[in-house]
Amino acid sequence: MRRFARKIRKMTAELLDLPQDVLFDLPRVTMIGNAQVHIENHRGVLHFSDERLNLSISIGELELTGSDLVIRAIWPDEVIVEGKISKIQYMRTEGSN
């Protein structure tokens, strides 16, 4: 059933020309060089330090690593992080889409 619903949503997105991140509640990650990251559609901060940020997302977890990391702005579903960003990694959890 889950697969069928996903196909219907995908066809709807293509037919109506809707962005898939909105329809599927996927994170949208925008990087400016290695100095700033804007992440939309997160579900909360799991861990933050000056070297690592873990965010809960609909498909699991997003981990951002680097140095001198600072959260410049945070809203219920968006976060802006600055610093020397070295890696962004998606980690899927069991039971996620």
Side-chain angles (χ1 to χ4, degrees):
M1 186 67 174
R2 206 180 250 182
R3 182 178 274 169
F4 178 72
R6 188 164 179 78
K7 283 184 182 181
I8 293 293
R9 280 186 278 176
K10 186 173 182 177
M11 288 183 349
T12 303
E14 290 171 0
L15 183 65
L16 299 176
D17 198 27
L18 296 171
Q20 288 191 16
D21 62 312
V22 172
L23 199 60
F24 293 109
D25 192 30
L26 297 173
R28 178 179 291 225
V29 180
T30 306
M31 282 189 75
I32 300 174
N34 70 335
Q36 187 182 73
V37 176
H38 182 199
I39 303 162
E40 299 174 67
N41 299 330
H42 75 87
R43 294 187 173 174
V45 175
L46 301 173
H47 172 82
F48 178 73
S49 69
D50 64 341
E51 296 180 344
R52 186 175 61 132
L53 169 67
N54 289 71
L55 293 172
S56 176
I57 56 176
S58 63
I59 59 173
E61 195 174 317
L62 184 123
E63 181 178 74
L64 186 135
T65 56
S67 60
D68 303 322
L69 299 179
V70 176
I71 295 177
R72 284 289 170 211
I74 188 164
W75 298 280
D77 63 346
E78 297 179 40
V79 64
I80 298 174
V81 179
E82 293 181 350
K84 296 178 186 124
I85 300 153
S86 58
K87 182 170 83 171
I88 297 177
Q89 179 178 6
Y90 290 95
M91 297 176 286
R92 215 175 258 280
T93 57
E94 287 186 36
S96 61
N97 298 347

